[in-house]
């Protein structure tokens, strides 16, 4: 499970992009931390890159298909 220290630096969101499920190799839509809903592995991904492939490290085939879901979305800071 992802950890954080200062919750004041995180904002809750109800956006549907946190419900979307992504397959291995698909294009990452939003930069942030993603969770595999089957094996609970977490990865940091950059928008535009492919999601980690079928052989990502903790995922056993006995756990079913890899399903990446957005856990924490990163955002750009306000302009200076
Ligand atoms: Zn997995």
């Amino acid at each position: 499970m992802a950890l954080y220290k200062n919750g004041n630096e995180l904002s809750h969101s109800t956006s549907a992009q946190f419900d979307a499920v992504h397959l291995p190799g698909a294009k990452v839509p939003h930069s942030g931390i993603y969770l595999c809903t089957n094996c609970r592995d977490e990865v940091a991904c950059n928008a535009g890159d492919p999601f980690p492939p079928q052989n990502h490290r903790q995922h056993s085939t006995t756990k079913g298909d890899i399903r990446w879901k957005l856990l924490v979305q990163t955002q750009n800071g306000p302009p200076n």
Side-chain angles (χ1 to χ4, degrees):
M1 188 170 284
L3 304 176
Y4 68 92
K5 184 169 184 179
N6 187 352
N8 293 333
E9 300 290 352
L10 297 173
S11 297
H12 184 249
S13 170
T14 58
S15 172
Q17 64 204 34
F18 289 88
D19 302 320
V21 171
H22 307 281
L23 300 176
K27 187 174 162 184
V28 175
H30 305 284
S31 295
I33 299 170
Y34 285 79
L35 171 73
C36 174
T37 60
N38 282 336
C39 74
R40 316 305 291 178
D41 194 15
E42 297 159 2
V43 293
C45 297
N46 292 315
D49 288 351
F51 280 103
Q54 196 69 31
N55 62 351
H56 80 98
R57 63 184 170 85
Q58 297 176 7
H59 197 95
S60 156
T61 53
T62 62
K63 293 178 176 172
D65 294 336
I66 295 171
R67 299 281 184 247
W68 295 114
K69 276 179 93 170
L70 183 60
L71 181 64
V72 176
Q73 180 183 357
T74 55
Q75 300 194 100
N76 294 325
N80 291 325

